[in-house]
Amino acid sequence: MAGAKKNFKATKKFESKHLKGVLDQRKATAKIKQRQQVKTKKQAKRAKDAEFFKGGEDGENATKSNGTKKTANVNDMSVDDFFGGGFEFIEKSQPGKKASKKLGKRKRDEPEEDGASDEGSDLDMSGDEVPVASGSEDSGDEDADDVGMSKEAMDALAKDDPEFYNFLKENDPEALEFDDADLAEVDELSAAEEEDQPKKKRKKDKKQTKTTEAEEDTPDNELTQVMVARWKAAISERQSLKAARQVVLAFRSAAHLNEDDEDGGRSQPYKISSPEVFHDILIVALKQIPEVLQHHVPIKESSSGKVHVPTESKKFKVLSNLLKSYISAILHLLDTLSDDATLKLTLSAITPVIPYLLSFRKLLKNLIKAVVGFWSQSTSSDSTRITAFLVLRRLVVVGDNGIREAVLKATYQGLIAGSRVTNVNTLQGINLMKNSAAELWGLDQNIGYTTAFSFIRQLAIHLRNSIVHNQNESYKTIYNWQYVHSLDFWSCVLAEHCSPLKEAESGKESQLKLLIYPLVQVTLGAMRLIPTATYFPLRFHMIRSLLRISRSTGTYIPLASALLEVLNSAEMRKSPKQSTIKPLDFHVAYKAPKSYLRTRVYQDGVGDQIGELFSEYFVLWSTNIAFPEFALPVIIMLKRWLKQSRKKTGGNNNNKVRAGLVLLVQKLEANAKFIEGKRAKVDFSPKDRAQVDAFLKDFEWEKTPVGAYVVAQRKAGAEKAKMLEQARKDDERKRKEEEQEALEENAEELDDEDEEMEEFDDEVDEDEDSDDDED
């Protein structure tokens, strides 16, 4: 009894812990054995067919041979024997010698023998090298089991027997395609999934596929809308991998459209001659392939943005080749597109598949390069730039540290390359790039700090080399648009991520805040490198960059001296010359042409910039308790300059500049009196830092005298910029109309000349006819 009870407990324990696993293992083993039996039966059937077609003699030779078969002589073989015996190297000089090279092609019509082959016999290919016909969808038929030649074998065949290789290229080009080989596993995976479906549904699907294939039997693999619609339905209804594979192949054909095979490109599985079919396959591939991937290999994403992709699963390993082919086709297609809507759709299709690409570093490198190219291209529209930026942002969010660093570096390099040419037409796009790229550096401030530090250090090294090696052209490495936009970009980065509001949201001090000091030092050194009137516009650009940092971070940066240097220069102390040239646009110029120097137009523009920048500088501290003492030195220097300008000899009689500075002095004095009146009512001493910092903290700066002046000045500047933009658009429209009129006139002149030539030819013909009649 005790032994029976013990056995009963062991049985219960086995049933609860091990029975399910053992049964599952047995079922899996039974499935594998069943597949092997089916495969063996098919091979035996093909062997019998081969013996029947070859005849008894060949069959006996095939069974007797035990790996000692010599290389066949082509002169002793019939055409059927040649094509039925597989591909072998035919040596012209020594027909009886064994083949010196091994081919990855087994005989199509002979069974595989255990034990198999000697040095001269053909080698079987592995499952990964099995080529599948691009137009085939039935992975269960006999042709799917045929194993094609490897690419190395075909290359050797092209070298040793170019005539036969050309024959294959003309009559059977699909035999030379190898990229589809890796996609064959997709059909196998899809077939395995179909086995799990109910039998009725499987029969119904097979009937549908057979009827549609019969309807779609088109010559030369012509892609039709019916085929695309069927694939689309199969993907939408049951997430079919077979249909997805065919869509990727057709999409690749669309991406390589109009590429000749003679140029070195291989032939594509489908031919597309209709624009409607091209549009349909693009829409299906770009919108539904990511959905198929998400269905079969779902991604798990945490709240912090980290993603987990099951890269160890069988499905991912099989679908990785499909994914690489899909992304490669997208990258190739991007080079050929120019329409904004299609570009936006193509770029947006990359975003959902980014997590799957993290393990393919080489492909990811090409993808980053292509996307950054569209983001930084001056001809790209704003919508295209934003879509490309979303792809880059997704890469930074889900990628590891290496990918993030690569994206940040490529983005910065793209920004520098895209800002080489700065004018009225490109300025808006450059500002969009700077504002969007600045966001990337705050997603991971550890990587952002290291990359920003290295790039700012690089700018400092360029500045130091320009100062140390003081040659004629050394300053040009600093005084150019790329350097100016670099400093301005880093000011955007620090202003966005080092503001008190951002730090309050994150709950800690920004790591990028440590970069404020080196960036300010580099900017101040660059603006004083050549303190001449020619580069006053560049100085104004850099002062605006520093004002942005000071405004956002609350950091005090001494800028009054840089503006006073401009005011005390020889350009502004003497009376200007009269000129009728067009006013200089300081927003799209970093240097003034020589024709503008010492002119009233340039001096008026510089005076306006000085007044605007002084007011923007002082409004930052308009509510500070120390404003009267802070503004006093500048007020004294401005009054001294105004006094000097009123002299009859050696003064500046430019009333516009003087009027602007007088108004500025009045506003500064009024703001100083306003602060003095407010602080006269306080009851704390200067050593009480908390009370000092809280002085007028909640008071709106727009209500101070300087604040009200700046608000009015900004409004007037916006209206002026709007008027200038409208005038520029009108000029451009008129220019296009004039060009169109000129083209029409030229066309009319050409038509008149053609008519005159026709009349002349008619006259000549009439003269010849009259001469013939006289004869």
Side-chain angles (χ1 to χ4, degrees):
M1 288 293 293
K5 189 174 182 181
K6 187 176 180 181
N7 291 336
F8 178 75
K9 286 183 179 180
T11 305
K12 284 287 186 182
K13 187 176 179 181
F14 177 81
E15 288 179 355
S16 61
K17 292 186 177 181
H18 305 290
L19 181 60
K20 188 176 183 303
V22 171
L23 293 177
D24 292 341
Q25 187 176 2
R26 287 179 180 176
K27 288 180 182 179
T29 306
K31 280 187 178 182
I32 294 173
K33 287 182 178 179
Q34 185 178 6
R35 289 176 186 172
Q36 291 293 336
Q37 290 173 359
V38 171
K39 187 176 180 181
T40 305
K41 287 180 180 179
K42 289 181 179 179
Q43 290 174 352
K45 184 181 178 182
R46 285 199 301 272
K48 291 180 180 179
D49 293 341
E51 291 177 2
F52 175 77
F53 287 115
K54 283 183 174 183
E57 185 178 0
D58 290 342
E60 292 176 1
N61 293 335
T63 55
K64 289 179 181 179
S65 62
N66 189 20
T68 58
K69 184 178 178 180
K70 304 288 183 179
T71 303
N73 187 356
V74 68
N75 297 323
D76 299 331
M77 298 174 65
S78 65
V79 176
D80 293 335
D81 294 340
F82 179 78
F83 285 105
F87 293 105
E88 298 178 359
F89 288 129
I90 301 166
E91 298 184 6
K92 299 179 180 178
S93 58
Q94 298 176 350
K97 190 178 179 181
K98 293 182 180 179
S100 60
K101 295 183 181 179
K102 299 180 181 180
L103 294 180
K105 167 72 181 170
R106 77 157 187 250
K107 295 183 180 180
R108 291 182 180 270
D109 299 327
E110 290 188 6
E112 224 177 7
E113 295 181 0
D114 298 335
S117 51
D118 278 350
E119 298 176 359
S121 62
D122 297 332
L123 297 177
D124 293 339
M125 293 178 61
S126 63
D128 294 334
E129 298 175 345
V130 179
V132 177
S134 57
S136 174
E137 286 192 5
D138 296 330
S139 60
D141 57 6
E142 295 181 5
D143 293 339
D145 289 330
D146 288 342
V147 184
M149 293 184 67
S150 65
K151 189 175 189 305
E152 292 78 7
M154 269 299 179
D155 292 338
L157 182 64
K159 183 178 178 181
D160 295 339
D161 195 353
E163 295 181 0
F164 182 63
Y165 181 82
N166 293 331
F167 172 80
L168 286 178
K169 190 173 182 180
E170 294 175 1
N171 296 278
D172 191 11
E174 292 183 0
L176 305 180
E177 295 180 5
F178 301 95
D179 285 357
D180 298 346
D182 295 333
L183 301 185
E185 296 182 3
V186 177
D187 281 350
E188 295 177 5
L189 183 62
S190 181
E193 286 187 352
E194 287 179 358
E195 289 181 0
D196 298 333
Q197 294 180 354
K199 291 184 178 180
K200 293 183 179 179
K201 188 175 181 182
R202 268 187 280 165
K203 290 179 179 179
K204 184 178 179 182
D205 292 340
K206 286 182 179 180
K207 288 180 180 179
Q208 289 179 354
T209 53
K210 287 180 180 179
T211 54
T212 49
E213 284 175 2
E215 294 173 357
E216 295 169 4
D217 190 14
T218 56
D220 297 331
N221 288 336
E222 181 72 23
L223 188 64
T224 62
Q225 286 184 301
V226 178
M227 299 167 67
V228 177
R230 181 172 62 83
W231 296 338
K232 181 179 180 181
I235 293 175
S236 302
E237 294 172 3
R238 57 184 187 275
Q239 304 293 334
S240 171
L241 287 176
K242 284 185 179 180
R245 173 180 175 268
Q246 296 302 322
V247 167
V248 170
L249 293 174
F251 177 63
R252 190 176 68 189
S253 301
H256 293 267
L257 192 65
N258 298 328
E259 291 185 3
D260 296 333
D261 298 338
E262 299 174 358
D263 298 337
R266 52 181 180 74
S267 61
Q268 295 303 324
Y270 291 102
K271 294 181 180 180
I272 302 174
S273 58
S274 171
E276 290 81 10
V277 175
F278 180 83
H279 176 267
D280 291 347
I281 193 63
L282 253 63
I283 296 297
V284 172
L286 296 176
K287 287 188 175 181
Q288 294 192 293
I289 292 300
E291 296 177 1
V292 173
L293 293 172
Q294 178 63 28
H295 174 79
H296 290 282
V297 188
I299 301 172
K300 297 179 181 179
E301 185 169 1
S302 63
S303 58
S304 60
K306 293 183 179 180
V307 296
H308 173 70
V309 181
T311 55
E312 299 298 327
S313 65
K314 179 182 177 182
K315 278 190 176 181
F316 180 81
K317 292 178 181 178
V318 173
L319 292 176
S320 60
N321 295 317
L322 181 77
L323 178 65
K324 287 189 284 186
S325 180
Y326 176 65
I327 294 298
S328 300
I330 287 181
L331 294 179
H332 192 277
L333 180 66
L334 285 173
D335 294 335
T336 62
L337 295 179
S338 59
D339 180 58
D340 288 337
T342 311
L343 273 173
K344 185 179 178 181
L345 177 64
T346 308
L347 289 171
S348 60
I350 300 174
T351 306
V353 300
I354 283 176
Y356 302 105
L357 302 175
L358 298 181
S359 55
F360 308 119
R361 295 305 175 105
K362 186 176 180 180
L363 188 64
L364 206 59
K365 181 180 177 182
N366 297 331
L367 175 65
I368 293 171
K369 183 178 179 181
V371 175
V372 169
F374 281 99
W375 175 76
S376 62
Q377 202 171 27
S378 59
T379 56
S380 299
S381 63
D382 290 348
S383 60
T384 303
R385 290 179 190 269
I386 293 171
T387 308
F389 165 72
L390 293 177
V391 177
L392 297 175
R393 189 184 186 280
R394 182 65 174 166
L395 280 167
V396 175
V397 170
V398 304
D400 56 17
N401 291 342
I403 294 174
R404 290 174 180 175
E405 186 176 356
V407 172
L408 293 181
K409 288 182 178 180
T411 302
Y412 181 71
Q413 291 170 358
L415 173 65
I416 300 305
S419 61
R420 185 186 300 273
V421 178
T422 302
N423 51 43
V424 178
N425 299 317
T426 61
L427 184 61
Q428 183 179 357
I430 293 172
N431 291 332
L432 176 62
M433 283 196 294
K434 287 190 285 191
N435 294 329
S436 59
E439 183 184 347
L440 299 179
W441 263 261
L443 298 176
D444 185 352
Q445 292 200 0
N446 291 323
I447 303 297
Y449 174 81
T450 55
T451 54
F453 177 82
S454 62
F455 287 130
I456 293 174
R457 181 176 177 273
Q458 191 177 32
L459 295 175
I461 291 173
H462 285 309
L463 178 61
R464 185 193 64 184
N465 292 337
S466 180
I467 295 172
V468 173
H469 307 291
N470 190 12
Q471 300 174 355
N472 293 333
E473 303 294 329
S474 62
Y475 72 93
K476 289 188 176 180
T477 58
I478 307 300
Y479 281 17
N480 55 67
W481 272 124
Q482 292 173 306
Y483 199 91
V484 173
H485 285 303
S486 297
L487 293 174
D488 190 61
F489 167 68
W490 293 120
S491 72
C492 290
V493 172
L494 299 182
E496 182 172 349
H497 301 294
C498 300
S499 62
L501 183 61
K502 284 277 187 179
E503 291 179 347
E505 291 177 355
S506 61
K508 59 182 180 180
E509 188 179 36
S510 174
Q511 297 182 27
L512 299 175
K513 204 167 187 177
L514 299 173
L515 298 173
I516 293 177
Y517 178 76
L519 179 63
V520 170
Q521 292 300 315
V522 172
T523 308
L524 291 174
M527 75 168 64
R528 287 191 168 98
L529 182 62
I530 301 180
T532 59
T534 304
Y535 293 101
F536 283 168
L538 182 138
R539 177 174 293 217
F540 297 150
H541 282 294
M542 293 187 177
I543 289 175
R544 283 192 172 84
S545 301
L546 295 178
L547 283 173
R548 182 188 293 112
I549 296 175
S550 185
R551 184 185 305 113
S552 299
T553 64
T555 306
Y556 170 71
I557 303 173
L559 297 175
S561 59
L563 291 170
L564 289 174
E565 288 175 6
V566 176
L567 194 60
N568 292 323
S569 65
E571 183 73 22
M572 300 299 293
R573 294 177 71 92
K574 296 180 180 179
S575 298
K577 303 180 296 184
Q578 293 294 335
S579 177
T580 57
I581 58 178
K582 185 180 179 181
L584 182 67
D585 190 354
F586 284 86
H587 292 91
V588 292
Y590 72 90
K591 64 180 291 187
K594 291 184 179 180
S595 58
Y596 279 86
L597 300 180
R598 300 298 176 90
T599 61
R600 181 175 289 274
V601 172
Y602 186 58
Q603 195 176 91
D604 289 346
V606 172
D608 292 339
Q609 293 291 314
I610 291 174
E612 179 186 349
L613 294 174
F614 260 132
S615 61
E616 293 285 352
Y617 174 63
F618 281 108
V619 79
L620 299 177
W621 317 104
S622 59
T623 59
N624 192 283
I625 196 170
F627 185 85
E629 292 77 18
F630 175 65
L632 182 60
V634 176
I635 293 174
I636 293 173
M637 295 297 294
L638 292 177
K639 287 183 176 180
R640 186 178 297 173
W641 189 90
L642 289 171
K643 183 179 179 181
Q644 179 70 24
S645 66
R646 294 190 184 95
K647 291 182 179 179
K648 292 184 179 179
T649 58
N652 188 348
N653 59 1
N654 192 333
N655 293 325
K656 183 179 179 180
V657 175
R658 285 192 295 189
L661 294 178
V662 167
L663 182 60
L664 177 63
V665 170
Q666 291 175 357
K667 296 299 181 182
L668 293 177
E669 289 179 340
N671 203 88
K673 290 180 180 179
F674 171 77
I675 296 297
E676 287 174 353
K678 291 288 184 180
R679 75 182 182 183
K681 301 176 184 179
V682 301
D683 56 354
F684 55 85
S685 61
K687 67 178 181 180
D688 191 352
R689 296 297 303 171
Q691 295 290 334
V692 169
D693 293 338
F695 178 77
L696 295 181
K697 189 174 183 180
D698 298 330
F699 192 85
E700 296 180 1
W701 64 268
E702 293 91 345
K703 295 182 179 180
T704 62
V706 174
Y709 173 65
V710 169
V711 170
Q713 198 176 37
R714 288 178 181 177
K715 187 176 180 181
E719 292 178 355
K720 182 179 178 182
K722 187 177 180 180
M723 291 174 59
L724 290 174
E725 181 67 17
Q726 186 62 37
R728 185 185 66 82
K729 289 182 178 179
D730 293 341
D731 292 342
E732 188 175 356
R733 179 174 52 80
K734 289 180 180 179
R735 181 179 58 80
K736 289 182 178 179
E737 290 177 355
E738 291 176 356
E739 290 178 355
Q740 186 65 26
E741 291 177 358
L743 289 174
E744 291 176 357
E745 291 178 358
N746 291 333
E748 291 177 358
E749 291 177 359
L750 290 174
D751 292 339
D752 295 339
E753 291 179 0
D754 291 340
E755 291 178 358
E756 291 177 359
M757 291 297 296
E758 289 177 359
E759 292 177 357
F760 178 75
D761 292 339
D762 293 339
E763 292 177 359
V764 171
D765 293 338
E766 290 177 358
D767 293 340
E768 290 178 354
D769 292 340
S770 61
D771 292 340
D772 293 338
D773 293 339
E774 290 177 359
D775 294 338

